Amino acid sequence: MSEADEIVLAASGVTRTFAQGGSRLEVIHDASFVIRRGEMVALVGPSGSGKSTLLHIVGLLERPSAGSIELTGRAVAGLADAARTALRRSALGFVYQYHHLLPEFSALENVVLPQMIAGRPRREARQRGLELLQRVGLSARASHRPARLSGGEQQRVAIARALANRPALLLADEPTGNLDHRTSDDAFALLTELVRGEGMAALIATHNLDLARRMDRLLTIEDGVVLEA
């Protein structure tokens, strides 16, 4: 496999501007970087620096004002909304600071539903869900709704859900931000184990420099400028 074949995400000259009154505010300026399969890359910057905006662009939730994104070798600039949605479902997994689990469904159902939306048969989706819950240590809690789970358990379900469709790239926005120090360390160790085990790439925005330094590479963003640390 060539080096190019291993690239999961390639951003080139990505810029994002917003109209603000009579002027334009540039939130992301000419960002270029690649992430390869098997890499965990930290994205670090102060609040308001553009971390979430960059994740939204990479996650196909926003379009850049300029520049290009390639995901698993596929240029996404010209894709229609339906094609972007399909690619997002198949190639991307998301973990947020807040778990965003559906409260009326069990832990297992929260992991099964994204798979069924992507077209996987219920039986296969359930088997994959049970496997992932076992890997995150929650087999005994599979039938419990989110309200009956601790904060750390809720985030573990969210991690399992993000991996359910075997994405090529995991995007995480402050995934341990709502957890205490010990639970945060446990959640990050679990996330690392699963990302390595699944052979995917990961881009993780965090304020936690200790966690950032445990990753393979560190990107910093300040005033919209992305640099390799």
Side-chain angles (χ1 to χ4, degrees):
M1 180 181 293
S2 70
E3 181 177 299
D5 289 334
E6 297 177 1
I7 294 175
V8 173
L9 171 68
S12 179
V14 170
T15 297
R16 184 71 168 104
T17 59
F18 296 92
Q20 191 175 60
S23 62
R24 299 190 68 79
L25 175 65
E26 190 173 67
V27 179
I28 305 293
H29 174 72
D30 196 28
S32 297
F33 58 91
V34 300
I35 300 179
R36 293 176 172 81
R37 189 171 305 281
E39 277 192 316
M40 293 185 71
V41 178
L43 179 64
V44 177
S47 295
S49 60
K51 296 192 302 295
S52 294
T53 299
L54 184 58
L55 286 179
H56 287 168
I57 292 171
V58 169
L60 310 185
L61 297 170
E62 292 184 30
R63 294 180 185 267
S65 305
S68 64
I69 295 287
E70 288 189 7
L71 186 60
T72 61
R74 185 177 184 183
V76 303
L79 296 181
D81 287 345
R84 287 168 66 90
T85 298
L87 185 58
R88 189 163 56 243
R89 286 176 182 164
S90 64
L92 295 170
F94 297 86
V95 180
Y96 299 99
Q97 182 171 346
Y98 184 71
H99 57 77
H100 293 297
L101 299 176
L102 299 174
E104 66 272 29
F105 293 102
S106 69
L108 177 58
E109 289 166 339
N110 268 279
V111 182
V112 166
L113 281 171
Q115 301 177 72
M116 295 184 64
I117 291 170
R120 182 170 293 165
R122 179 185 292 270
R123 179 177 294 182
E124 290 181 21
R126 188 175 187 277
Q127 183 60 40
R128 171 71 170 164
L130 289 170
E131 172 197 327
L132 284 169
L133 289 178
Q134 180 179 24
R135 291 174 68 182
V136 300
L138 291 176
S139 291
R141 312 282 273 169
S143 63
H144 291 200
R145 292 184 180 182
R148 297 182 60 197
L149 302 174
S150 70
E153 288 172 337
Q154 290 168 345
Q155 198 65 331
R156 280 190 273 163
V157 175
I159 291 170
R161 178 186 58 190
L163 303 186
N165 286 325
R166 294 183 170 86
L169 176 65
L170 178 74
L171 299 174
D173 195 354
E174 300 288 353
T176 64
N178 279 340
L179 305 177
D180 61 50
H181 180 74
R182 179 175 177 178
T183 308
S184 172
D185 280 351
D186 290 346
F188 181 75
L190 174 65
L191 188 61
T192 301
E193 177 186 339
L194 291 171
V195 167
R196 305 291 195 208
E198 293 280 327
M200 67 182 71
L203 178 61
I204 302 174
T206 181
H207 283 100
N208 189 324
L209 287 176
D210 178 54
L211 293 184
R213 292 186 184 107
R214 299 185 209 174
M215 299 188 218
D216 300 310
R217 290 164 49 216
L218 196 157
L219 299 176
T220 63
I221 180 169
E222 188 164 2
D223 296 329
V225 177
V226 178
L227 297 172
E228 186 99 23

